[in-house]
């Protein structure tokens, strides 16, 4: 089995971010919202990975992210807010079949870019990336 590196997890986040933009261009807003959320999820996985924390469930990932990085002020609190907002919109779209508007998808993409950028900046600042 291949050894996982933080760069591998970030590559997955970046792939999701790139796909989000493509899906918006193709007017596939529900799927774009989903990929924007997963950009954030994989970013969190990268952040927790460097702290030697491995979690698979969404809820535990969010809880641990809040405990390890938000409550400690290691990352801007605004990231927790945009994660929560994007997660809720994605859940409604997935399970309540709410229609996702273009503005929702674009907002989610913008928030995913912010989240991914903050993740990379944190990892560089803490010597986990070069």
């Amino acid at each position: 089995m291949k050894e996982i590196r933080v760069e591998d997890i970030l590559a997955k986040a970046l792939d999701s971010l790139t796909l989000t933009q493509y899906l918006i261009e193709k007017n596939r807003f529900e799927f774009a919202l989903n990929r924007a959320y997963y950009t954030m999820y994989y970013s969190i996985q990268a952040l927790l990975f460097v702290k030697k924390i491995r979690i698979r469930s969404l809820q535990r990932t969010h809880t641990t992210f809040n405990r390890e990085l938000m409550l400690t002020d290691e990352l801007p609190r605004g990231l927790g807010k945009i994660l929560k907002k994007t997660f809720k919109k994605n859940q409604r779209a997935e399970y309540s079949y709410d229609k996702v508007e273009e503005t929702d998808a674009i907002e989610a993409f913008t928030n995913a870019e912010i989240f991914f950028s903050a993740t990379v900046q944190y990892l560089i600042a803490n010597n986990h990336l070069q």
Side-chain angles (χ1 to χ4, degrees):
M1 191 159 107
K2 179 184 168 190
E3 182 180 330
I4 298 171
R5 301 171 313 132
V6 70
E7 292 87 354
D8 299 327
I9 303 169
L10 282 179
K12 203 164 185 174
L14 184 57
D15 285 347
S16 283
L17 185 61
T18 303
L19 187 55
T20 301
Q21 185 173 25
Y22 172 80
L23 290 166
I24 290 170
E25 291 167 3
K26 297 298 182 188
N27 298 320
R28 302 304 305 262
F29 306 128
E30 180 180 333
F31 298 108
L33 176 63
N34 178 270
R35 288 295 89 196
Y37 166 71
Y38 274 95
T39 299
M40 296 178 195
Y41 175 79
Y42 295 134
S43 295
I44 293 168
Q45 289 293 322
L47 292 164
L48 296 178
F49 180 83
V50 299
K51 290 181 166 284
K52 310 265 188 270
I53 300 171
R54 311 292 187 270
I55 299 171
R56 296 279 185 231
S57 81
L58 295 177
Q59 192 59 45
R60 286 193 57 223
T61 298
H62 290 204
T63 302
T64 306
F65 169 72
N66 283 321
R67 185 184 67 236
E68 297 290 328
L69 293 153
M70 293 286 90
L71 295 177
T72 59
D73 291 324
E74 290 185 56
L75 289 170
R77 295 257 171 143
L79 294 181
K81 291 177 184 174
I82 62 175
L83 170 66
K84 188 174 184 177
K85 183 176 187 178
T86 306
F87 177 72
K88 283 184 177 183
K89 283 185 178 185
N90 184 54
Q91 292 291 293
R92 282 196 303 271
E94 291 283 322
Y95 301 109
S96 299
Y97 306 103
D98 285 0
K99 182 177 178 173
V100 177
E101 300 293 335
E102 180 177 13
T103 55
D104 293 325
I106 291 170
E107 178 184 36
F109 173 69
T110 300
N111 287 338
E113 283 184 307
I114 291 166
F115 205 101
F116 180 77
S117 177
T119 298
V120 171
Q121 289 173 15
Y122 174 89
L123 293 170
I124 290 170
N126 290 280
N127 300 313
H128 298 291
L129 284 179
Q130 298 199 19

